[in-house]
């Protein structure tokens, strides 16, 4: 996975020539100093680009931003007043996300010495409003972050946004390799792949499973020995049926090679009912691949594979993966989530153990899988994407991952347990009203705000279910949104 720090966010300051060369020199110096400070706390590289004083300068800066392959976005700020008509021509051409940092070089007012020279040089409150108007008028889906540039909370917001901007750039190149079509008769995992390519950049390609079988047949014993040694380091071997485990290792090597050979697929999709030539459903194989950054979707679900790949990138391959709402504890108001096999070991609170058990569906041999208890995390997020026919809807729910309240000795899969926000009743109802799928990407690293920001960058509908959700208002919001999106697309 490529290093996010290689990605660049340019800092562009707005000003004008009215104040004279001395002031402009200070503006440039301060901007550079601020960008350097901010950069130390960012997952990407934040670099001061220029101070813009005219339409031509802004257009030139935007041209550089658009052309720079490593640039994933810009941070803008107005140290002084900056007449905003000059931003129009450039911003009409801007192709990267923009974060408006409403900040200031000084934190406190110098009450004893303040005069009009100070006022003219430090008027972000004035300049940022003029700038904000033109951005609103241009209907740009930008982000506004407010606060002193050394303030921890403001820096965290900027850092989170930079990660989203990097994820947005990453998304444009996501390729999903699909070894099966959608599971027969299932609705929510369907979707318009052309629309997804237009909105998110996702390229979703089908390959017959036989193409993968050819790769599986070419995996050597030595290849398998090497991966088995890796498993030994990371996992406990809880079975004597080593041949069954070696078969999964073969699948993992073959899938990984196939994805790389065919042009860099980072999302994988299979289906337990379409496995001709394989004698097990890939379980351990898919789990270990998810731990390395692949997004995975089961039963033909390419949307969740692509979304998983993007969120994995945003999360530095931590605490993120496919999940499925499985079964409730109605007395406790909790949910136990899992999947047939393919739960990412990024969710493991206990050392994952390789086990072999029969699988009730699919009619194949007993597959090897990783079994573990899921992590606890007070702030996690479950994300679903559904096709509403005229647009994609991203549904983002805040959840609290909890420690297993009891041992479940007969549960033969990895899992997670959680509580829904705002509470069990309204949290579940809101998800169902919004048409949220049973497949989600859960993350204990990516935040709900980041997913909302990503949805805004994509320009799609975003539905948030959090501690403030009230069902009647929520239903009305869905109804208004339907009208808005019908007109927007
Ligand atoms: Mn499923």
């Amino acid at each position: 996975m490529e290093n996010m720090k290689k990605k660049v966010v340019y800092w562009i300051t707005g000003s004008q020539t009215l104040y004279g060369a001395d002031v402009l020199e200070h503006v440039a110096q301060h901007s550079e100093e601020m960008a350097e400070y901010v950069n130390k706390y960012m997952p990407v590289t934040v670099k001061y680009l220029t101070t813009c004083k005219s339409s031509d300068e802004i257009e030139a800066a935007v041209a550089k931003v658009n052309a720079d392959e490593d640039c994933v976005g810009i941070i803008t700020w107005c140290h002084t007043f900056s007449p905003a008509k000059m931003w129009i021509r450039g911003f009409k051409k801007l192709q990267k996300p923009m974060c408006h940092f409403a900040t200031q070089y000084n934190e406190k007012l110098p009450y004893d010495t303040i005069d009009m020279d100070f006022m003219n040089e430090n008027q972000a409150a004035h300049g940022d409003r003029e700038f904000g108007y033109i951005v609103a008028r241009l209907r740009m889906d930008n982000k506004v972050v407010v606060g002193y540039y050394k303030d921890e909370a403001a820096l965290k917001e900027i850092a989170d946004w930079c990660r989203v901007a990097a994820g947005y750039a990453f998304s444009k190149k996501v390729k999903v390799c699909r070894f099966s079509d959608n599971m027969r008769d299932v609705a929510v995992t369907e979707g318009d792949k052309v629309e997804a390519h237009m909105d998110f950049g996702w390229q979703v390609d089908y390959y017959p499973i036989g193409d993968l079988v050819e790769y599986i047949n070419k995996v050597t014993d030595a290849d398998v020995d090497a991966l088995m040694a890796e498993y030994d380091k990371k996992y406990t071997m809880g079975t004597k049926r080593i041949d069954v485990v070696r078969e999964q290792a073969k699948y993992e090597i073959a899938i990984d090679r196939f994805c790389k050979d065919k042009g860099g697929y980072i999302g994988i999709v299979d289906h337990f009912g379409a496995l001709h030539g394989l004698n097990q459903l890939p379980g351990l194989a898919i789990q270990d691949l998810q731990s390395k950054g692949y997004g995975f979707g089961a039963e033909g679900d390419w949307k969740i594979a692509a979304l998983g790949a993007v969120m994995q990138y945003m999360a530095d391959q931590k605490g993120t993966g496919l999940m499925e709402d499985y079964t409730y504890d109605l007395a406790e108001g909790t949910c136990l989530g899992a999947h047939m096999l393919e739960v990412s070991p990024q969710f493991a609170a206990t050392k994952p153990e390789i086990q072999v058990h029969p699988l009730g569906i699919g009619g194949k041999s007993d597959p090897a899988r990783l079994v573990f208890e899921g992590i606890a995390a007070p702030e996690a997020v479950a994300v679903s994407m559904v096709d509403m026919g005229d647009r994609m809807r991203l549904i983002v729910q805040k959840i609290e991952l909890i420690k297993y309240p009891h041992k479940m000795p007969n549960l033969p899969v990895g899992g997670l347990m959680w509580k829904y926000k705002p509470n069990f009743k309204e949290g579940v109802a809101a998800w169902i009203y919004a048409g949220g799928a049973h497949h989600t990407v859960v993350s204990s690293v990516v935040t709900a705000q980041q997913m909302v920001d990503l949805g805004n960058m994509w320009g799609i509908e975003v539905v948030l279910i959090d501690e403030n959700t009230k069902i009647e208002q929520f239903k009305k919001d869905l109804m208004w949104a339907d009208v808005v999106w019908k007109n927007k697309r």
Side-chain angles (χ1 to χ4, degrees):
M1 198 67 69
E2 77 189 331
N3 183 357
M4 203 181 275
K5 199 72 190 175
K6 281 189 184 150
K7 298 295 169 192
V8 177
V9 168
Y10 284 118
W11 176 299
I12 299 175
T13 303
S15 190
Q16 60 177 329
T17 51
L18 184 74
Y19 308 107
D22 283 359
V23 169
L24 282 172
E25 204 172 293
H26 293 162
V27 168
Q29 275 167 7
H30 294 167
S31 299
E32 191 144 23
E33 188 183 324
M34 291 163 81
E36 268 173 31
Y37 186 89
V38 168
N39 175 52
K40 286 187 281 181
Y41 300 88
M42 296 298 125
V44 301
T45 299
V46 170
K47 240 191 243 175
Y48 168 66
L49 183 64
T50 182
T51 296
C52 291
K53 305 168 295 293
S54 69
S55 292
D56 288 346
E57 286 176 5
I58 293 164
E59 196 175 20
V62 167
K64 186 170 164 54
V65 164
N66 285 343
D68 187 337
E69 270 295 304
D70 286 329
C71 172
V72 297
I74 59 170
I75 292 171
T76 54
W77 169 60
C78 294
H79 195 333
T80 63
F81 192 74
S82 174
K85 285 180 184 171
M86 71 183 192
W87 293 88
I88 295 172
R89 196 189 333 142
F91 272 178
K92 274 179 160 297
K93 294 182 178 173
L94 181 65
Q95 294 164 346
K96 308 265 166 102
M98 191 257 280
C99 175
H100 177 183
F101 194 8
T103 188
Q104 210 163 252
Y105 180 64
N106 55 305
E107 185 178 24
K108 288 186 160 68
L109 284 179
Y111 292 100
D112 296 339
T113 57
I114 191 163
D115 57 12
M116 277 323 279
D117 283 346
F118 181 90
M119 294 284 275
N120 284 331
E121 192 173 302
N122 298 279
Q123 49 175 320
H126 186 190
D128 277 338
R129 278 167 173 72
E130 166 74 358
F131 181 84
Y133 165 71
I134 209 66
V135 172
R137 178 77 186 260
L138 288 167
R139 278 28 172 209
M140 291 168 66
D141 280 322
N142 68 309
K143 173 89 177 174
V144 178
V145 173
V146 180
Y148 183 49
Y149 75 98
K150 291 183 179 174
D151 176 64
E152 213 175 292
L155 284 167
K156 167 87 168 59
E157 267 191 86
I158 297 272
D160 282 359
W161 179 86
C162 286
R163 212 169 258 285
V164 178
Y168 174 77
F170 180 84
S171 172
K172 283 182 195 293
K173 294 179 181 173
V174 161
K175 292 169 74 177
V176 175
C177 170
R178 196 181 187 214
F179 294 111
S180 167
D181 195 357
N182 201 58
M183 184 175 168
R184 277 189 293 281
D185 286 334
V186 174
V188 76
T189 48
E190 284 283 8
D192 183 339
K193 296 195 283 295
V194 177
E195 189 71 19
H197 202 143
M198 286 159 58
D199 286 345
F200 318 122
W202 300 344
Q203 181 182 326
V204 183
D205 295 328
Y206 167 74
Y207 290 91
I209 191 93
D211 289 8
L212 178 63
V213 173
E214 282 176 25
Y215 270 71
I216 293 171
N217 292 339
K218 282 183 196 147
V219 176
T220 66
D221 281 347
D223 294 335
V224 173
D225 290 345
L227 187 54
M228 290 292 286
E230 243 184 72
Y231 290 165
D232 266 341
K233 274 189 206 141
K234 293 193 286 189
Y235 310 130
T236 305
M237 189 60 74
T239 179
K240 293 199 161 57
R241 299 169 69 182
I242 301 301
D243 283 353
V244 177
V245 181
R246 290 182 68 90
E247 183 72 11
Q248 289 281 339
K250 249 183 177 178
Y251 298 168
E252 174 169 348
I253 294 159
I255 295 168
D256 187 45
R257 278 186 191 153
F258 190 94
C259 287
K260 290 187 167 106
D261 280 1
K262 302 284 178 185
Y265 290 97
I266 189 68
I268 310 156
V269 177
D270 69 8
H271 176 12
F272 66 87
L275 295 172
H276 306 282
L278 277 69
N279 63 33
Q280 299 176 34
L281 173 65
L284 167 60
I286 292 294
Q287 291 177 291
D288 202 53
L289 286 167
Q290 280 187 85
S291 79
K292 293 168 179 169
Y294 280 97
F296 173 71
E299 293 96 49
D301 193 345
W302 53 269
K303 295 200 297 299
I304 221 71
L307 188 63
V310 175
M311 288 174 67
Q312 288 253 27
Y313 175 73
M314 286 165 62
D316 288 334
Q317 296 89 52
K318 291 188 186 80
T320 303
L322 166 83
M323 195 35 63
E324 183 167 88
D325 292 66
Y326 231 111
T327 186
Y328 301 131
D329 183 329
L330 289 174
E332 297 294 328
T334 57
C335 183
L336 171 62
H339 204 262
M340 255 181 261
L341 302 173
E342 311 93 335
V343 179
S344 172
Q346 287 180 19
F347 291 136
T350 54
K351 191 173 180 189
E353 186 172 300
I354 301 175
Q355 297 182 12
V356 177
H357 301 278
L359 188 65
I361 19 186
K364 294 281 170 180
S365 306
D366 303 351
R369 80 289 303 272
L370 294 169
V371 180
F372 53 83
E373 288 186 21
I375 49 171
E379 286 181 20
V381 67
V383 186
S384 176
M385 183 180 283
V386 295
D387 187 336
M388 297 304 288
D390 47 12
R391 83 279 186 181
M392 295 287 183
R393 170 182 284 171
L394 190 71
I395 304 160
V396 181
Q397 180 161 38
K398 286 191 186 175
I399 57 173
E400 179 191 349
L401 301 179
I402 57 166
K403 194 172 155 21
Y404 283 15
H406 305 282
K407 290 278 169 205
M408 292 180 266
N410 294 323
L411 189 69
V413 288
L416 282 175
M417 282 199 78
W418 63 82
K419 291 179 177 172
Y420 299 92
K421 303 273 179 191
N423 53 61
F424 182 80
K425 246 177 126 62
E426 288 173 290
V428 173
W431 187 270
I432 292 172
Y433 279 125
H438 52 277
H439 284 167
T440 58
V441 180
V442 164
S443 180
S444 62
V445 177
V446 179
T447 67
Q449 185 62 56
Q450 285 181 304
M451 291 313 296
V452 169
D453 289 348
L454 181 61
N456 290 341
M457 281 180 202
W458 277 334
I460 61 163
E461 182 188 7
V462 186
V463 173
L464 176 66
I465 304 167
D466 66 3
E467 56 279 359
N468 300 316
T469 298
K470 296 266 180 283
I471 283 296
E472 287 316 313
Q473 185 59 47
F474 184 78
K475 285 171 72 179
K476 278 185 198 147
D477 289 345
L478 289 177
M479 186 171 74
W480 308 138
D482 215 35
V483 180
V484 169
W485 286 97
K486 276 193 169 67
N487 286 313
K488 209 164 172 172
R489 304 305 288 253

